[in-house]
Amino acid sequence: MAVTQSRKRAAILAIGDELLSGRTRDANIHYLSGWLTERGVALAEARIVPDVLDEIVEALNALRAKYDYVFTSGGIGPTHDDITVDAIAAAFGVKVIEHPKAVAMINAWYDAKGEEVTPARLRMARTPEGVELIDNPVSGAPGVKLENVFVMAGVPRIFQGMLNAVEGAIESGAPVHSRAVTARNLPESRLADQLLEVQSAHAGVSIGSYPIDGDEKGVTVIARADDPAIADAAIDAVVNAMRALGFEPERSDRKHRS
Amino acid sequence: MAVTQSRKRAAILAIGDELLSGRTRDANIHYLSGWLTERGVALAEARIVPDVLDEIVEALNALRAKYDYVFTSGGIGPTHDDITVDAIAAAFGVKVIEHPKAVAMINAWYDAKGEEVTPARLRMARTPEGVELIDNPVSGAPGVKLENVFVMAGVPRIFQGMLNAVEGAIESGAPVHSRAVTARNLPESRLADQLLEVQSAHAGVSIGSYPIDGDEKGVTVIARADDPAIADAAIDAVVNAMRALGFEPERSDRKHRS
């Protein structure tokens, strides 16, 4: 990638046996990738690990040392298999406490619904020491922020709600300007030399080539650049190359977020 | 997880800027997770990295040292942004060669379609030195196997075709026996104490609890064990606990692969 040097870089650590067993297809990585791109932040890596404390600790410590922001998803619910809070505390070398403000939030949430605050529900008030809380507009129990790590729920609707709640803590960057064009039925391999030429001729652009379900059904080319004029010039050159091969390009910028 | 000790462990490294930018939602991690589970192999970790050589090398070397099998997806096509072959070679410290058998496969594929074998198409015959080839029943250009690493295409249909082609190289294990039950409208937090009891009372089982879109709409509980009798006993105890709370459980084993 030729772009993104000046942008903040983020990673996501998705936690849960069910994401690795075939039961559940993760949705948060993809959602976060689009959300960050819209804010000029680069999602630079994603990892999925099971509900195993040492694995979570190792991955989290690697990611939080390397990136500006780390988002975790999953494992912060009320049941015995929710061990993310303990893992985060172990990774930072801090204690797990019952967070007074989290207790208050959970009490208020269940009081408003006329339900009892059981020990299991209070388990969701356990946090690593020294955190800020992340509002949960969907189901009450908060996420936590500790240094550059945002610990959030795995249920996509809750993850997305928490993401909105932390927007102010993320330093957004200049948007990447992205242009896309598709030529149906043009094999990617017939356009390869031309794409290399376009890439070489346009400094500051990153040209990506994405075959449609293999090399036969067509190709989508994306030009990404900090400078919109450079993205425009590069994609125009790709359009001309497609036409020279006898294929009619379809511009599709709006369908692609980057 | 209390299970899987005797099984082979695998990881997947999905490669591609488009998987981290919001453009494309990865499909291969989820597909592989189910495929491996059906074969008694544990998918233990997944990572997504961009098309950046050093990042691919670092992730691959970490994963291939730690797991029995590593599958990569993406970046083996004919265009300039396909750098996975170079990264694999760099990770293993071997040269990139033009593989004679891969050349023959690509020649045969395009000859059969009456199309020219261009330099761009021959680029897909570049491999690290010392590999075995992985048949590509979908689009001709092969993947490669080097030691415990399987390098495969990113296009899901091709990835799946290559996976079928390598099945014989994977040592399958005993299946994990999985049982599932759902109670609609039962908040997970009301069942937490009972699940902990079931987990504690049944050695050799792993009980996972998965809220349906938050804590309000219900919960699915999965019991996984090497011994099917233990999985049955544990899920029966969960069913009883759900009924004791006044909710009618629905067994849903067939919908869940683990």
Side-chain angles (χ1 to χ4, degrees), chain B residues 7 37-40 173-177 225-227:
Chain B
R7 294 183 178 82
T37 294
E38 285 167 4
R39 283 153 185 81
V176 177
H177 295 276
D226 289 350
D227 181 341

PDB file of all heavy atoms in Angstrom, chain B residues 7 37-40 173-177 225-227:
ATOM      1  N   ARG B   7      -6.160 -33.303  19.094  1.00  0.00           N
ATOM      2  CA  ARG B   7      -6.389 -33.012  17.694  1.00  0.00           C
ATOM      3  C   ARG B   7      -5.286 -32.139  17.112  1.00  0.00           C
ATOM      4  O   ARG B   7      -4.659 -31.367  17.811  1.00  0.00           O
ATOM      5  CB  ARG B   7      -7.726 -32.289  17.526  1.00  0.00           C
ATOM      6  CG  ARG B   7      -8.883 -33.170  17.878  1.00  0.00           C
ATOM      7  CD  ARG B   7     -10.230 -32.528  17.671  1.00  0.00           C
ATOM      8  NE  ARG B   7     -11.194 -33.555  18.009  1.00  0.00           N
ATOM      9  CZ  ARG B   7     -11.563 -33.831  19.251  1.00  0.00           C
ATOM     10  NH1 ARG B   7     -11.086 -33.130  20.266  1.00  0.00           N
ATOM     11  NH2 ARG B   7     -12.400 -34.811  19.489  1.00  0.00           N
ATOM     12  N   THR B  37     -13.571 -28.424  11.390  1.00  0.00           N
ATOM     13  CA  THR B  37     -14.332 -29.024  12.490  1.00  0.00           C
ATOM     14  C   THR B  37     -14.912 -30.362  12.065  1.00  0.00           C
ATOM     15  O   THR B  37     -14.860 -31.340  12.819  1.00  0.00           O
ATOM     16  CB  THR B  37     -15.450 -28.062  12.944  1.00  0.00           C
ATOM     17  OG1 THR B  37     -14.841 -26.900  13.520  1.00  0.00           O
ATOM     18  CG2 THR B  37     -16.356 -28.718  13.982  1.00  0.00           C
ATOM     19  N   GLU B  38     -15.446 -30.409  10.841  1.00  0.00           N
ATOM     20  CA  GLU B  38     -16.010 -31.674  10.339  1.00  0.00           C
ATOM     21  C   GLU B  38     -14.953 -32.772  10.246  1.00  0.00           C
ATOM     22  O   GLU B  38     -15.290 -33.959  10.229  1.00  0.00           O
ATOM     23  CB  GLU B  38     -16.623 -31.447   8.951  1.00  0.00           C
ATOM     24  CG  GLU B  38     -17.950 -30.716   9.019  1.00  0.00           C
ATOM     25  CD  GLU B  38     -18.399 -30.224   7.635  1.00  0.00           C
ATOM     26  OE1 GLU B  38     -17.717 -30.519   6.635  1.00  0.00           O
ATOM     27  OE2 GLU B  38     -19.428 -29.526   7.581  1.00  0.00           O
ATOM     28  N   ARG B  39     -13.698 -32.377  10.156  1.00  0.00           N
ATOM     29  CA  ARG B  39     -12.605 -33.350  10.029  1.00  0.00           C
ATOM     30  C   ARG B  39     -11.844 -33.563  11.338  1.00  0.00           C
ATOM     31  O   ARG B  39     -10.771 -34.182  11.354  1.00  0.00           O
ATOM     32  CB  ARG B  39     -11.656 -32.896   8.916  1.00  0.00           C
ATOM     33  CG  ARG B  39     -12.257 -33.193   7.542  1.00  0.00           C
ATOM     34  CD  ARG B  39     -11.787 -32.271   6.450  1.00  0.00           C
ATOM     35  NE  ARG B  39     -12.519 -32.576   5.210  1.00  0.00           N
ATOM     36  CZ  ARG B  39     -13.749 -32.131   4.945  1.00  0.00           C
ATOM     37  NH1 ARG B  39     -14.386 -31.353   5.812  1.00  0.00           N
ATOM     38  NH2 ARG B  39     -14.349 -32.478   3.820  1.00  0.00           N
ATOM     39  N   GLY B  40     -12.372 -33.033  12.438  1.00  0.00           N
ATOM     40  CA  GLY B  40     -11.721 -33.252  13.721  1.00  0.00           C
ATOM     41  C   GLY B  40     -10.397 -32.524  13.873  1.00  0.00           C
ATOM     42  O   GLY B  40      -9.523 -32.936  14.627  1.00  0.00           O
ATOM     43  N   GLY B 173      -8.968 -35.911  12.806  1.00  0.00           N
ATOM     44  CA  GLY B 173      -9.034 -36.410  14.175  1.00  0.00           C
ATOM     45  C   GLY B 173     -10.430 -36.883  14.489  1.00  0.00           C
ATOM     46  O   GLY B 173     -11.339 -36.815  13.659  1.00  0.00           O
ATOM     47  N   ALA B 174     -10.588 -37.362  15.704  1.00  0.00           N
ATOM     48  CA  ALA B 174     -11.923 -37.750  16.134  1.00  0.00           C
ATOM     49  C   ALA B 174     -12.813 -36.518  16.138  1.00  0.00           C
ATOM     50  O   ALA B 174     -12.373 -35.431  16.500  1.00  0.00           O
ATOM     51  CB  ALA B 174     -11.857 -38.352  17.532  1.00  0.00           C
ATOM     52  N   PRO B 175     -14.056 -36.680  15.724  1.00  0.00           N
ATOM     53  CA  PRO B 175     -14.939 -35.515  15.720  1.00  0.00           C
ATOM     54  C   PRO B 175     -15.222 -35.029  17.139  1.00  0.00           C
ATOM     55  O   PRO B 175     -15.233 -35.819  18.083  1.00  0.00           O
ATOM     56  CB  PRO B 175     -16.214 -36.038  15.062  1.00  0.00           C
ATOM     57  CG  PRO B 175     -16.194 -37.514  15.297  1.00  0.00           C
ATOM     58  CD  PRO B 175     -14.741 -37.913  15.287  1.00  0.00           C
ATOM     59  N   VAL B 176     -15.423 -33.737  17.275  1.00  0.00           N
ATOM     60  CA  VAL B 176     -15.950 -33.200  18.528  1.00  0.00           C
ATOM     61  C   VAL B 176     -17.457 -33.408  18.500  1.00  0.00           C
ATOM     62  O   VAL B 176     -18.107 -33.090  17.501  1.00  0.00           O
ATOM     63  CB  VAL B 176     -15.634 -31.704  18.663  1.00  0.00           C
ATOM     64  CG1 VAL B 176     -16.265 -31.143  19.932  1.00  0.00           C
ATOM     65  CG2 VAL B 176     -14.133 -31.481  18.666  1.00  0.00           C
ATOM     66  N   HIS B 177     -18.002 -33.966  19.564  1.00  0.00           N
ATOM     67  CA  HIS B 177     -19.449 -34.162  19.623  1.00  0.00           C
ATOM     68  C   HIS B 177     -20.080 -32.926  20.232  1.00  0.00           C
ATOM     69  O   HIS B 177     -19.707 -32.490  21.316  1.00  0.00           O
ATOM     70  CB  HIS B 177     -19.770 -35.426  20.408  1.00  0.00           C
ATOM     71  CG  HIS B 177     -19.270 -36.652  19.702  1.00  0.00           C
ATOM     72  ND1 HIS B 177     -19.982 -37.280  18.705  1.00  0.00           N
ATOM     73  CD2 HIS B 177     -18.096 -37.317  19.803  1.00  0.00           C
ATOM     74  CE1 HIS B 177     -19.289 -38.298  18.243  1.00  0.00           C
ATOM     75  NE2 HIS B 177     -18.128 -38.345  18.888  1.00  0.00           N
ATOM     76  N   ALA B 225     -17.843 -32.106  23.486  1.00  0.00           N
ATOM     77  CA  ALA B 225     -17.036 -33.088  24.212  1.00  0.00           C
ATOM     78  C   ALA B 225     -16.516 -34.136  23.245  1.00  0.00           C
ATOM     79  O   ALA B 225     -17.094 -34.381  22.188  1.00  0.00           O
ATOM     80  CB  ALA B 225     -17.871 -33.754  25.311  1.00  0.00           C
ATOM     81  N   ASP B 226     -15.409 -34.758  23.638  1.00  0.00           N
ATOM     82  CA  ASP B 226     -14.895 -35.897  22.856  1.00  0.00           C
ATOM     83  C   ASP B 226     -15.836 -37.088  22.962  1.00  0.00           C
ATOM     84  O   ASP B 226     -15.962 -37.878  22.023  1.00  0.00           O
ATOM     85  CB  ASP B 226     -13.511 -36.314  23.388  1.00  0.00           C
ATOM     86  CG  ASP B 226     -12.447 -35.284  23.050  1.00  0.00           C
ATOM     87  OD1 ASP B 226     -12.742 -34.365  22.257  1.00  0.00           O
ATOM     88  OD2 ASP B 226     -11.337 -35.400  23.588  1.00  0.00           O
ATOM     89  N   ASP B 227     -16.454 -37.244  24.118  1.00  0.00           N
ATOM     90  CA  ASP B 227     -17.322 -38.387  24.404  1.00  0.00           C
ATOM     91  C   ASP B 227     -18.780 -37.955  24.220  1.00  0.00           C
ATOM     92  O   ASP B 227     -19.263 -37.074  24.940  1.00  0.00           O
ATOM     93  CB  ASP B 227     -17.064 -38.833  25.854  1.00  0.00           C
ATOM     94  CG  ASP B 227     -17.914 -40.031  26.246  1.00  0.00           C
ATOM     95  OD1 ASP B 227     -18.936 -40.304  25.568  1.00  0.00           O
ATOM     96  OD2 ASP B 227     -17.569 -40.669  27.250  1.00  0.00           O
TER      97      ASP B 227
END
